[in-house]
Amino acid sequence: MKNESLFLSGAKEILSPDSLLTEPEECAPFASDWTRLPGNPSAVVLPKTTAQVASILKLCQNLKIPVVPSGGRTGLCGGAVASKGEVVVNLSRMTQLTPVNVASRTVRVQAGAVTQSVHEHCAKAGLLWPIDLAAKGSSEIGGNLSTNAGGVRVIRYGMSRRWVVGLQAVTMNGEILELNEAVEKNNTGYDLVQLIIGSEGTLAVITEATLKLVPIPKNVSVLFFSVDDLPSLLKLFEIARKGPFEVLAFEFFSAKCLQAVEEKLHRRSRLSRGAEYYVLMEIEEQGRVDDWLSQLLESTIVQDGLLAHSSQEQRDVWALREGITESIALTGPVRKYDVSLPVTRMLSFLGEVLESIRNLRIELFLFGHFGDGSPHLNLVKPANASLEDYEKDCDRFEEKLFHLLKENGGSISAEHGVGILRKNWLTFSRSKTELALYHAIKKAFDPDGLLNPGKVLGQRSPG
Ligand code: MLT
Ligand code: ZN
């Protein structure tokens, strides 16, 4: 690391000894995220206060040392990977939660608070921060907001950015920004809260947030269906939208995904075998769902279906969906694509995807957030293909996939972000003018390009 001894002596003045890691084996767990891309941080700092974050960033700015902000490291695009000897600033020790403000339905939390602990904290007041992720046991609020995480209830509640009132964030030169502490209405110019959310730690490091809450939905039921094909899946979605309930989640997965969860994690589906796709539907009942369900089961749209009554049954169905990522990772090398397009185009799009993958040396595991028009395409290496052939075919497919998305008015990243993995494809989702503005914004926040370098943007402005 450049200026290593100056950094170490400065950091020791700012942090307690247990908050500064320099040994490679201590730093290793903080080097990467769920992409498992290789990383090699020079040091890891674990601040406990915003003031410490500010002092560390200022020190790094003065010494021109690049910094990678990180949290729970559940990202899937490499946004928290430190691959060039950067200093990792990990916020996992900043976990304070203030009491829920029931009147304003808000809660102030530090960036390192784990999503699930925020849910549990708010539940005591009958309230919910409505972002629900498969990774909720490890993901942290700072990371959720930096990546504008989505999750399984976007169809009902939208993405993370909708559920933030105010933000505290630190810029690379150590300035602490208190943005819109807790007022809902503040029409005074550019909205820096929303600009920093989703910027993947390239503009500022989020240290605290005031989150907006909703009442915990009542009468929540989970339905689980099997269907023969994609047209039936779409029909089921259309019918569900007219049902006597509010859809909270409409998730789908292919038979291959279910098989992987059953084999690798030893979880069991209670539906009869032999279907192509499965749908998990979570609903907030507003009428007679039993009648609606009987009618549906008499039709030819679904092959089989069940209503999970007890909370244990509901958890069992969710465990199938939430185990997919882990079980695919245990299956073999995988390339992951998280894309989106208008839900009305899903059928023809997925049809083309299946067609173009047919003769490639790739096993497709298809799942995701059907109701949001946001499928996850996971390309796994078949046992009988060489790594080289598989990689070649993945590259071929990737190009085709991104063109297909452009034709369908879709996006190359729905909810996982850009990080390292998608930055070279940004022109498929953003215009030249947008990208030039991105570079100008980055320069305004971080003129020396020291904050999360190489993420989201390429080195130079296009054109
Ligand atoms: C999910 O929907 O389970 C997550 O986005 C993780 C993934 O895509 O693997
Ligand atoms: Zn997802």
Side-chain angles (χ1 to χ4, degrees):
M1 183 203 324
K2 198 166 128 192
N3 292 323
E4 184 168 359
S5 59
L6 286 173
F7 170 76
L8 291 177
S9 58
K12 280 177 191 160
E13 280 176 28
I14 297 164
L15 303 161
S16 57
D18 69 328
S19 298
L20 173 63
L21 314 179
T22 50
E23 294 302 324
E25 58 278 13
E26 293 177 313
C27 294
F30 299 91
S32 192
D33 56 16
W34 279 9
T35 56
R36 301 195 192 134
L37 289 166
N40 63 338
S42 295
V44 175
V45 298
L46 297 149
K48 293 173 187 148
T49 64
T50 299
Q52 287 180 337
V53 175
S55 301
I56 285 290
L57 291 184
K58 192 169 185 175
L59 175 69
C60 290
Q61 172 66 57
N62 289 342
L63 298 174
K64 301 281 181 277
I65 293 173
V67 165
V68 173
S70 97
R73 306 179 307 286
T74 57
L76 291 163
C77 285
V81 175
S83 60
K84 295 195 176 78
E86 299 95 333
V87 167
V88 169
V89 177
N90 182 278
L91 283 91
S92 299
R93 290 194 183 162
M94 292 179 56
T95 57
Q96 275 172 27
L97 311 169
T98 61
V100 170
N101 186 328
V102 176
S104 64
R105 288 192 177 155
T106 57
V107 66
R108 181 83 170 177
V109 304
Q110 283 189 314
V114 170
T115 313
Q116 191 159 336
S117 70
V118 173
H119 286 171
E120 286 162 8
H121 178 68
C122 298
K124 291 180 206 141
L127 296 170
L128 171 73
W129 190 58
I131 301 304
D132 192 354
L133 311 156
K136 59 179 169 267
S138 315
S139 75
E140 296 173 9
I141 294 299
N144 293 340
L145 301 186
S146 299
T147 57
N148 185 28
V152 293
R153 283 180 165 178
V154 172
I155 188 170
R156 170 72 179 88
Y157 294 110
M159 309 275 277
S160 293
R161 66 166 74 255
R162 273 180 61 182
W163 302 101
V164 180
V165 182
L167 216 58
Q168 183 192 69
V170 184
T171 60
M172 190 62 211
N173 64 7
E175 299 275 359
I176 300 172
L177 300 171
E178 286 291 353
L179 302 170
N180 203 40
E181 276 176 53
V183 282
E184 175 85 38
K185 296 172 131 182
N186 184 359
N187 267 350
T188 49
Y190 306 134
D191 189 339
L192 297 182
V193 171
Q194 292 299 332
L195 186 59
I196 290 170
I197 295 173
S199 67
E200 301 185 43
T202 62
L203 300 183
V205 179
I206 295 172
T207 44
E208 285 187 22
T210 303
L211 305 177
K212 224 151 95 162
L213 310 174
V214 293
I216 294 177
K218 294 194 183 74
N219 304 322
V220 172
S221 297
V222 173
L223 298 128
F224 189 37
F225 298 107
S226 55
V227 295
D228 281 332
D229 48 29
L230 289 170
S232 309
L233 213 162
L234 183 63
K235 258 189 219 146
L236 176 59
F237 178 64
E238 286 165 353
I239 288 172
R241 286 303 232 179
K242 296 183 206 142
F245 43 72
E246 186 68 49
V247 177
L248 298 177
F250 193 98
E251 301 285 305
F252 83 119
F253 45 94
S254 66
K256 242 187 221 300
C257 295
L258 179 61
Q259 195 187 342
V261 174
E262 291 191 326
E263 277 175 23
K264 305 287 177 193
L265 304 181
H266 310 293
R267 298 175 189 170
R268 291 278 160 264
S269 149
R270 284 174 38 219
L271 296 185
S272 52
R273 312 272 115 187
E276 278 296 310
Y277 294 99
Y278 295 85
V279 172
L280 184 161
M281 221 168 95
E282 190 178 64
I283 57 169
E284 190 176 9
E285 284 186 48
Q286 287 159 354
R288 298 280 313 171
V289 76
D290 290 347
D291 296 344
W292 179 87
L293 182 61
S294 327
Q295 259 184 16
L296 178 67
L297 291 175
E298 277 164 24
S299 76
T300 53
I301 296 166
V302 298
Q303 210 185 69
D304 195 3
L306 62 82
L307 176 62
H309 288 286
S310 68
S311 49
Q312 183 57 48
E313 283 172 344
Q314 297 189 358
R315 273 199 300 275
D316 288 348
V317 178
W318 267 116
L320 298 173
R321 165 64 182 88
E322 290 179 343
I324 294 172
T325 301
E326 187 186 348
S327 56
I328 292 175
L330 295 169
T331 303
V334 56
R335 281 237 212 147
K336 298 172 83 73
Y337 295 93
D338 149 52
V339 302
S340 70
L341 67 158
V343 68
T344 46
R345 302 209 187 147
M346 282 278 276
L347 204 55
S348 64
F349 168 77
L350 290 176
E352 289 204 63
V353 162
L354 294 177
E355 187 52 40
S356 52
I357 222 156
R358 194 185 298 279
N359 295 317
L360 299 180
R361 288 152 295 190
I362 289 170
E363 256 189 87
L364 174 66
F365 287 71
L366 186 58
F367 70 102
H369 319 288
F370 190 92
D372 307 329
S374 158
H376 295 316
L377 281 53
N378 283 231
L379 317 183
V380 173
K381 186 184 91 59
N384 61 1
S386 72
L387 192 59
E388 202 188 346
D389 288 342
Y390 157 76
E391 292 282 0
K392 239 189 247 163
D393 281 2
C394 284
D395 289 343
R396 219 178 282 167
F397 175 74
E398 179 172 284
E399 176 113 40
K400 169 86 186 158
L401 173 68
F402 291 160
H403 278 102
L404 262 179
L405 285 164
K406 204 172 168 70
E407 285 158 25
N408 281 286
S411 168
I412 61 162
S413 181
E415 57 171 6
H416 293 173
V418 178
I420 298 173
L421 293 182
R422 300 287 171 260
K423 66 175 182 171
N424 293 335
W425 296 98
L426 263 194
T427 46
F428 277 76
S429 289
R430 299 291 182 202
S431 68
K432 259 189 173 180
T433 310
E434 282 176 289
L435 290 175
L437 287 168
Y438 280 15
H439 281 270
I441 291 167
K442 169 72 176 168
K443 211 153 183 76
F445 273 84
D446 176 23
D448 295 320
L450 295 170
L451 195 52
N452 220 5
K455 315 293 166 50
V456 183
L457 300 172
Q459 285 307 305
R460 282 182 303 112
S461 174

